[in-house]
């Protein structure tokens, strides 16, 4: 799948976003190494802290379906610049993406920026940081 196709998938799924409070629609399309695409949109709740971003919806859908090897993800929103993932999404992405996974950021004006996971969140908190060291 080409980058432009993945971005278009993200733009299309953003129309399904449930955003009665912010009115800020975001879509994400996640490509697995096997070629399957998982899509997600942001879903808000009156208790804001239990809302879930598009990137995490797509990742959690893939993980729950048993897909754990990812190639790239596209994120799209109606922003002036290519939309960056929030801090929570960056942390989740760092848990499941290796440093070389491409992240395509886009807006509805066809402005795009592609970066790697390592560029998006260098020096991220990892599972290995939980290893206890006995003194």
């Amino acid at each position: 799948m080409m980058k432009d196709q993945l971005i278009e998938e993200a733009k299309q799924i953003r129309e399904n976003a449930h955003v009665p409070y912010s009115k800020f629609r975001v879509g994400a399309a996640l490509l697995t190494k096997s070629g399957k695409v998982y899509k997600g949109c942001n879903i808000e709740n009156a208790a804001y802290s239990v809302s879930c971003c598009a990137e995490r919806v797509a990742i959690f859908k893939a993980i729950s379906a048993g897909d754990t090897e990812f190639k790239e993800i596209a994120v799209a929103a109606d922003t002036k610049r290519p939309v960056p993932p929030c801090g929570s999404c960056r942390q989740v992405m760092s848990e499941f993406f290796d440093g070389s996974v491409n992240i395509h950021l886009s807006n509805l004006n066809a402005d795009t920026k592609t970066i790697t996971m390592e560029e998006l969140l260098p020096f991220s908190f990892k599972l290995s940081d939980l290893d206890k060291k006995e003194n």
Side-chain angles (χ1 to χ4, degrees), residues 33-50:
K33 289 186 179 178
S34 68
K36 188 162 183 177
V37 175
Y38 291 89
K39 296 181 275 187
C41 58
N42 53 323
I43 302 167
E44 294 179 346
N45 188 281
Y48 295 136
S49 63
V50 296

Side-chain angles (χ1 to χ4, degrees), residues 31-85:
L31 179 63
T32 65
K33 289 186 179 178
S34 68
K36 188 162 183 177
V37 175
Y38 291 89
K39 296 181 275 187
C41 58
N42 53 323
I43 302 167
E44 294 179 346
N45 188 281
Y48 295 136
S49 63
V50 296
S51 297
C52 196
C53 299
E55 300 91 337
R56 287 182 284 147
V57 170
I59 292 166
F60 295 161
K61 284 171 70 175
I63 297 296
S64 68
D67 276 325
T68 59
E69 295 184 358
F70 306 113
K71 184 174 178 183
E72 56 191 323
I73 189 169
V75 184
D78 189 9
T79 51
K80 291 182 181 178
R81 64 179 180 159
V83 65

